Amino acid sequence: MVSTPTRTPAAKSAAKSPPGGSANGGSASGGRTSGGKPPQRTARRSPAAEKLRSWHRAFWSALEGSGTSRNGSTYYLILGSTLALTAIGIMMVLSASSVEAIAAGESPYSAALKQGMFAAIGVFVMFVLSRVNVVWLKRFAWAAIVIAVVLLGLVLLVGRSTLGNQNWIDVGPFTFQPSEAAKLALALWMATVLDRKAKLLSQWRHALIPVVVPGALTVLGLILAGNDLGTAMIVMVIMAAALFFAGVRLAFFGAAGALLTLGTIILAVTSPNRMCRILSWTGQTCADGSDLNYQSTNGLYGLASGGWFGVGLGQSRQKYSWIPEAHNDFIFAIIGEELGLVGTVVVLVLFAILGAAIYRVVAAQQDLFHRVLAGSIMVWLLGQATVNMAVVTGLAPVVGVPLPFISYGGSALLMSLCAIGVVLSLARAQMAPNVQPKRLLKFRTKAGRTQSTRKRK
């Protein structure tokens, strides 16, 4: 029902199957094509792999339907898992932040109310974006990346520094993190530029300029100037995902990976703080005797003490200053302590459902712009969730990366929900016309008239 995206435009034309061919691009009868040329050889799959592939197709076909009977299960899986993760996030922010808020003389509900307010705004924007044709977003791609770069530069001038990272701009009683908006702006801009240069991406200089140099590297440099290595890692992942889904040659990724590895080593060695984090993660002591792995160690204590079903919602002991800022990057440890292994598995399953459903959207896209944009968003959200949970469980050194939809932070939550709105718009287009949610915006028709956005009574 869904075709797999091709790697390059050249490969797409070479992989077209003859009339009567199978859905996988080969000849159903095993004969020659109409031009007399033998069909291209495809990698043979083992019987187990073929069985798994057929089961996967049968499962999604039964779940989603086919043809004009498509019920849009992919759309509702994305929507349902996102709303569930956001609701869990608000609940856990309330639980994890209440103790420190009371100790600071504030209302125990202050952080949760702010998170809920940003969630309400984000859900509204998500629904608006889900009803808008994604092609129209191309018009704002260059403006979005320029605004993102300006805001990132403004952070270095007037931004607020917290725990060594200069990432925030104070806007009245709220704080805004431009690096979160830069993730979505970069994904949109890269998809737009790569789509314009689709026929030239086999040449490395066209794959690099202007997408990587100066575009992504400018965003990356400004984020690193604010000493935020965690966000910089996610930006690099978005950049790599965009190039991959655009069909850039894999040899390019090998060379880029070697350069990034060298750059990461240099950044780690030249920063005493980062070096101390790595030493603490490996169980060694820093030169000044400090233990920057303290937060991660107590996070593991919280996960271990939760057992199967947890100590009970709101009953965490690690949030009593044992895990500093427990409602931020280490909120997954509080979930494990209060809700136990069952609670953490529920979160993992929701992310797995979200990832599988978004992948279905990505795999269905024939247009390069749609595929790159949706693929970048998928890798961004799932990659960030993976890094966060790896840090909490001790599988990676401590870096400041929030858990999408769950960690406290209005900017991160708002931008994540906006990104999901873009994916929902693509998922909506795959639904049968009679079951599609109504659009909020109807653009100019072929006759030149603009239709009203209001529903007919």
Side-chain angles (χ1 to χ4, degrees):
M1 182 183 109
V2 177
S3 60
T4 304
T6 52
R7 295 288 302 136
T8 61
K12 179 185 291 186
S13 60
K16 288 184 177 178
S17 60
S22 64
N24 294 328
S27 174
S29 61
R32 295 175 176 269
T33 62
S34 58
K37 297 180 181 179
Q40 293 183 350
R41 293 183 179 179
T42 56
R44 292 184 178 180
R45 299 184 179 90
S46 65
E50 286 290 350
K51 186 176 181 180
L52 180 63
R53 186 180 181 88
S54 62
W55 178 89
H56 173 268
R57 287 180 174 177
F59 169 77
W60 279 103
S61 198
L63 180 67
E64 195 170 30
S66 59
T68 57
S69 64
R70 294 193 304 272
N71 55 27
S73 61
T74 299
Y75 176 94
Y76 292 108
L77 284 173
I78 296 172
L79 178 61
S81 57
T82 298
L83 294 179
L85 287 169
T86 303
I88 291 173
I90 296 173
M91 177 181 68
M92 295 311 303
V93 165
L94 172 61
S95 175
S97 64
S98 57
V99 171
E100 292 186 4
I102 293 173
E106 302 174 357
S107 169
Y109 305 102
S110 57
L113 288 175
K114 285 184 180 179
Q115 189 78 348
M117 183 191 67
F118 278 103
I121 297 173
V123 168
F124 173 76
V125 178
M126 178 185 72
F127 275 107
V128 171
L129 289 174
S130 71
R131 303 298 195 272
V132 175
N133 192 334
V134 173
V135 176
W136 283 73
L137 296 178
K138 286 184 178 181
R139 302 184 175 191
F140 308 102
W142 282 93
I145 195 66
V146 169
I147 293 173
V149 170
V150 170
L151 290 176
L152 288 172
L154 195 62
V155 167
L156 301 178
L157 298 176
V158 298
R160 178 169 56 85
S161 178
T162 302
L163 301 176
N165 291 351
Q166 190 163 344
N167 272 350
W168 294 269
I169 296 178
D170 291 324
V171 182
F174 303 102
T175 58
F176 176 68
Q177 192 172 358
S179 58
E180 292 296 334
K183 296 175 184 176
L184 183 57
L186 182 64
L188 174 61
W189 178 75
M190 291 186 72
T192 302
V193 176
L194 289 171
D195 180 56
R196 292 284 298 272
K197 304 183 71 173
K199 297 181 179 179
L200 304 172
L201 295 180
S202 58
Q203 305 175 39
W204 67 267
R205 62 180 181 275
H206 286 289
L208 284 175
I209 302 171
V211 173
V212 177
V213 183
L217 288 185
T218 300
V219 174
L220 195 61
L222 291 171
I223 292 174
L224 285 173
N227 202 32
D228 188 358
L229 182 59
T231 302
M233 290 172 55
I234 304 303
V235 169
M236 286 188 284
V237 167
I238 295 173
M239 177 179 63
L243 294 173
F244 176 80
F245 286 107
V248 174
R249 292 180 178 179
L250 294 179
F252 172 81
F253 292 94
L259 290 175
L260 288 176
T261 302
L262 179 62
T264 302
I265 293 173
I266 293 174
L267 288 172
V269 172
T270 56
S271 172
N273 180 272
R274 295 183 187 124
M275 204 63 202
C276 186
R277 289 175 184 268
I278 296 174
L279 290 174
S280 298
W281 176 61
T282 58
Q284 304 179 51
T285 306
C286 298
D288 58 358
S290 59
D291 181 17
L292 294 182
N293 211 41
Y294 170 85
Q295 197 175 19
S296 181
T297 302
N298 283 282
L300 289 175
Y301 289 158
L303 289 171
S305 61
W308 285 95
F309 302 103
V311 297
L313 186 62
Q315 302 302 312
S316 168
R317 293 180 288 272
Q318 295 300 114
K319 65 185 179 184
Y320 284 83
S321 298
W322 290 103
I323 301 180
E325 300 287 329
H327 56 295
N328 286 333
D329 300 342
F330 273 74
I331 197 168
F332 188 69
I334 305 301
I335 294 175
E337 184 181 7
E338 295 189 350
L339 304 180
L341 179 64
V342 173
T344 58
V345 169
V346 168
V347 172
L348 287 172
V349 169
L350 287 172
F351 273 113
I353 292 173
L354 180 65
I358 296 179
Y359 175 75
R360 290 282 297 176
V361 175
V362 176
Q365 303 308 315
Q366 299 299 323
D367 183 79
L368 189 141
F369 170 74
H370 293 163
R371 185 167 67 246
V372 172
L373 182 56
S376 301
I377 290 172
M378 177 185 71
V379 174
W380 157 24
L381 296 176
L382 296 183
Q384 186 168 312
T386 302
V387 171
N388 177 274
M389 288 184 278
V391 168
V392 174
T393 54
L395 298 177
V398 177
V399 291
V401 175
L403 186 59
F405 309 109
I406 296 180
S407 291
Y408 177 73
S411 302
L413 178 59
L414 180 60
M415 290 300 108
S416 297
L417 290 172
C418 288
I420 291 296
V422 174
V423 178
L424 285 175
S425 177
L426 296 174
R428 177 186 173 278
Q430 298 174 16
M431 300 169 64
N434 59 328
V435 296
Q436 285 185 0
K438 300 298 182 182
R439 284 188 178 180
L440 294 179
L441 296 173
K442 292 184 179 180
F443 301 106
R444 188 174 297 275
T445 62
K446 293 182 180 179
R449 297 178 180 178
T450 302
Q451 297 181 349
S452 173
T453 62
R454 298 179 181 176
K455 294 182 180 179
R456 295 179 179 177
K457 294 185 179 179

